[in-house]
Amino acid sequence: MIGKLDLYRVFSIVAKNNSFSRAAKDLFMTQPAVSQAMMQLEKELGTRLFNRTPKGVTLTTEGSLLYEYTNSALGLLDAGEEKLLEFKNLTTGQLKIGVGDTISRFFLMPYLEAFHTMYPNIKLQMLNGTTSEICNFIKSGEVDIGLCNFPIEDSTLQLTDCTEVQDIFVCGEKYKTLASKSVSFEDLLKFPLIFLEKKSNSRKYVEDYLFARGIRIEPEFELGSHDLVLEFARSNLGIACVTKEFSKDYLQRGLLYELTLTESIPTRSIGMCYLKSVPLSRAALKFVEIIEEKQERKRLHSRIIK
């Protein structure tokens, strides 16, 4: 049984050719099959669509009306298929990423550059937020993928570790003497502390680790960005908790000094997250592949060096 849409496609070709036989050649069908299909369509619609003559067929008034709508509908379907093919081939589309400023600057940029070089016609949309905000963006469909500070406890999200980072404490010139000796967590409490704001996942990770050891922190400064934390420490306003990998410029230039702790804070991860229950778009899948491939190459390179 030929489906209704196929009947309309056959009808359109017959109408263009004014002939069952010529339409049959275009459709790679037999003439009887084309004739039978048109009889089936006329029966289903309850009206005659063609005037049959020895020289071919012509459209009835009803057939002409239907032909206008059929051509329009089939044209829209063809355009839709072409647009889907463009999305499949990544010649058009959009990729929406949720990420914080610091991770975007120090981790994400090389991957965005690689993706944009490979797929320049894909529009990139970035939505800024904390880890908890980004998780909400993902669940509400506002972004496809999130790049966040781990750990995250959420069974609805697919989580992939990308790179390890180390939380450290740093100071400016005023407290430089602290960098020449081992400092305990208890010692840190004697100085003004500079932390990210409470809703930051990286702040929560360090705070939870210290609290498990009976240490409750009460920072003098709680700031909204990692760059501000670095600048406050450089200005000698206190001892700052920062991410080492994101502070290398300050440390290498001697603007800040890393404190040697008697007990190092365990490393944590930065990673990707997206909904388990919703298939990723083709653009999002390709972006995930780029990150995973580059991370795997880094791991292999690290093993070779070791």
Side-chain angles (χ1 to χ4, degrees), residues 25-42:
K25 290 179 181 178
D26 288 349
L27 293 165
F28 301 100
M29 297 171 64
T30 64
Q31 180 175 337
V34 170
S35 180
Q36 185 178 359
M38 291 303 90
M39 289 175 63
Q40 180 184 336
L41 182 61
E42 289 176 322

Side-chain angles (χ1 to χ4, degrees), residues 64-219:
S64 296
L65 177 64
L66 181 63
Y67 180 61
E68 291 180 18
Y69 284 100
T70 300
N71 255 9
S72 178
L74 292 176
L76 287 173
L77 285 173
D78 289 340
E81 289 177 355
E82 288 179 10
K83 186 61 68 175
L84 284 177
L85 188 60
E86 288 178 5
F87 276 97
K88 184 178 179 180
N89 295 333
L90 295 177
T91 54
T92 190
Q94 186 178 44
L95 174 61
K96 297 175 288 184
I97 302 173
V99 65
D101 289 335
T102 306
I103 294 178
S104 178
R105 177 182 171 189
F106 291 101
F107 174 78
L108 184 60
M109 292 309 295
Y111 302 103
L112 283 180
E113 182 180 1
F115 181 84
H116 183 64
T117 299
M118 294 173 66
Y119 309 108
N121 295 319
I122 301 296
K123 293 181 180 178
L124 295 170
Q125 180 181 339
M126 315 300 290
L127 200 55
N128 183 270
T130 63
T131 292
S132 60
E133 289 171 339
I134 291 168
C135 289
N136 288 332
F137 293 157
I138 294 170
K139 293 176 183 179
S140 64
E142 294 177 76
V143 300
D144 304 304
I145 299 171
L147 276 298
C148 305
N149 285 299
F150 284 9
I152 296 174
E153 300 294 334
D154 193 321
S155 60
T156 67
L157 298 178
Q158 178 67 45
L159 307 172
T160 304
D161 290 339
C162 291
T163 187
E164 284 193 342
V165 292
Q166 177 72 59
D167 296 296
I168 61 172
F169 285 86
V170 297
C171 65
E173 196 69 30
K174 179 179 177 180
Y175 302 100
K176 183 179 178 180
T177 55
L178 288 174
S180 61
K181 58 184 179 181
S182 293
V183 180
S184 68
F185 294 133
E186 288 80 5
D187 292 334
L188 290 175
L189 299 179
K190 300 173 185 176
F191 301 93
L193 295 179
I194 308 167
F195 271 74
L196 285 168
E197 57 193 349
K198 287 185 177 181
K199 63 181 181 178
S200 162
N201 211 41
S202 55
R203 153 78 180 270
K204 185 178 184 301
Y205 177 77
V206 174
E207 198 168 30
D208 288 347
Y209 179 78
L210 296 178
F211 185 74
R213 279 146 187 78
I215 299 169
R216 185 188 297 273
I217 61 169
E218 294 183 5

